[in-house]
């Protein structure tokens, strides 16, 4: 199965005729069967919030949730006691149990920061993540090129992810020798492959200035690029039971149109979408 989704559901005016209001979750589910949410990265959601998410979606809809920033070591707090960091894992696992029980959790995305380099300590931390997450599905996206310094090293990293049953996130982003990561198409879990598309705006991606967060994903994939992505998806489909493509190139609100075009190229028709709201006036 191939699914396509977007990061968040609110910021995609193409889904509501270009209106300048937030898209509702119910509206979003009329177009895509999965969504990636980054709100858990900033704060672990309450059970009541999870229940609202569940009530607003049709059966079979799935979520990708970002791991909390304490869990991915974005906090940089080397003084944080191990028990306190473990507590964040405990709270996160408890919060998402309703999604797990209803099979609405596709995976938990551990998007590690650029300063999470390939060190002995961080290699060991990945193993701790597996222990702390139990048998929950986990997808790993690195941001440091140190994990891909040489082809041999990259192969070793992929083998390590496979041993931990972590899904390697196939990431499309600008990269060079000092920043960003290459697109590594290795499938490390046979049940799932995840593709995340950030765009190729190198100037915005590498310039960490005042407007970095607003410009780094300012990119619209061309028809040729989408055709290439479609070919990649078919290749991954030969190795994984499910392939999920997430468009994150949304600084210019291009994610939804690009996602819908890829859906057309791949000739996908999902059966578990909500009815689309029609404008009768």
């Amino acid at each position: 199965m191939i699914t396509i989704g977007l990061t968040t559901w609110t910021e995609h005016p193409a889904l509501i005729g270009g209106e300048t209001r937030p898209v509702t979750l119910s509206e979003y589910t009329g177009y895509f069967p999965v969504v990636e949410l980054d709100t858990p990265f900033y704060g672990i959601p309450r059970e009541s919030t999870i229940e609202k998410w569940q009530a607003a979606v049709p059966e079979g809809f799935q979520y990708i949730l970002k791991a909390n920033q304490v869990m991915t070591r974005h906090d940089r707090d080397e003084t944080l006691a191990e028990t306190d960091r473990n507590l964040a894992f405990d709270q996160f696992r408890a919060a998402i149990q309703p999604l797990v029980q209803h099979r609405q959790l596709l995976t938990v995305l551990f998007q590690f920061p650029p300063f999470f380099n390939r060190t002995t300590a961080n290699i060991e931390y990945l193993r701790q993540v597996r222990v702390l997450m139990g048998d929950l599905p986990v997808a790993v996206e690195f941001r440091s090129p140190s994990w891909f310094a040489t082809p041999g090293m990259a192969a070793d990293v992929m083998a390590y992810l496979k041993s931990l049953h972590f899904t390697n996130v196939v990431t499309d982003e600008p990269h060079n020798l000092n920043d960003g990561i290459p697109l590594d198409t290795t499938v490390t879990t046979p049940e799932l492959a995840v593709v995340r598309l950030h765009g190729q705006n190198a100037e915005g991606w590498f310039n960490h200035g005042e407007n970095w967060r607003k410009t780094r994903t300012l990119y619209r994939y061309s028809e040729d690029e989408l055709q290439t992505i479609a070919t990649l998806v078919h290749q991954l489909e030969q190795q994984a039971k499910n392939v999920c493509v997430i468009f994150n190139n949304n600084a210019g609100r291009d994610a939804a149109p690009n996602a819908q075009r890829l859906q057309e190229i791949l000739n996908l028709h999902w059966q578990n979408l909500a009815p689309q709201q029609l404008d009768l006036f």
Side-chain angles (χ1 to χ4, degrees), residues 219-231 247 257-266:
Y219 191 79
R220 188 180 186 93
Y221 284 96
S222 68
E223 178 66 18
D224 286 347
E225 288 174 315
L226 291 173
Q227 293 286 346
T228 299
I229 292 168
T231 300
F247 281 84
N258 274 170
Q260 290 178 306
R261 177 55 189 146
L262 181 64
Q263 179 186 355
E264 292 175 354
I265 295 171
L266 293 170

Side-chain angles (χ1 to χ4, degrees), residues 7-21:
T7 50
T8 77
W9 63 74
T10 59
E11 301 174 352
H12 307 288
L15 302 182
I16 52 173
E19 294 183 47
T20 57
R21 63 171 175 81

Side-chain angles (χ1 to χ4, degrees), residues 68-95:
N68 185 261
Q69 57 189 321
V70 174
M71 299 159 66
T72 53
R73 292 186 171 269
H74 276 78
D75 57 295
R76 287 187 185 242
D77 188 356
E78 298 299 332
T79 66
L80 186 67
E82 183 177 357
T83 53
D84 292 334
R85 196 174 299 279
N86 292 353
L87 179 61
F89 279 86
D90 293 340
Q91 293 173 337
F92 189 93
R93 287 201 322 272

Side-chain angles (χ1 to χ4, degrees), residues 14 19 132 161 193 246 264 280:
E19 294 183 47
L132 293 168
L161 294 183
I246 297 293
E264 292 175 354
L280 301 179

Side-chain angles (χ1 to χ4, degrees), residues 151-178:
M153 182 180 295
D156 288 344
V157 170
M158 292 301 111
Y160 187 55
L161 294 183
K162 185 175 183 179
S163 72
L164 296 174
H165 205 71
F166 286 165
T167 299
N168 166 52
V169 175
V170 180
T171 308
D172 183 62
E173 65 179 47
H175 70 277
N176 55 37
L177 292 177
N178 300 312

Side-chain angles (χ1 to χ4, degrees), residues 182-226:
L183 188 145
D184 191 312
T185 61
T186 305
V187 173
T188 55
T189 50
E191 67 273 15
L192 178 65
V194 175
V195 182
R196 296 187 79 238
L197 304 170
H198 302 294
Q200 286 292 328
N201 180 4
E203 181 179 357
W205 191 266
F206 297 130
N207 181 13
H208 290 194
E210 181 179 349
N211 295 320
W212 177 67
R213 292 191 179 279
K214 295 181 179 179
T215 60
R216 63 192 178 111
T217 61
L218 182 59
Y219 191 79
R220 188 180 186 93
Y221 284 96
S222 68
E223 178 66 18
D224 286 347
E225 288 174 315
L226 291 173

Side-chain angles (χ1 to χ4, degrees), residues 5-25 27-29 31-32 34-37 246-260:
L6 311 174
T7 50
T8 77
W9 63 74
T10 59
E11 301 174 352
H12 307 288
L15 302 182
I16 52 173
E19 294 183 47
T20 57
R21 63 171 175 81
V23 180
T24 68
L25 179 54
E27 290 170 328
Y28 175 94
T29 58
Y31 294 90
F32 300 107
V34 60
V35 70
E36 177 190 303
L37 297 182
I246 297 293
F247 281 84
N248 187 42
N249 58 317
N250 205 46
R253 304 299 181 253
D254 293 311
N258 274 170
Q260 290 178 306

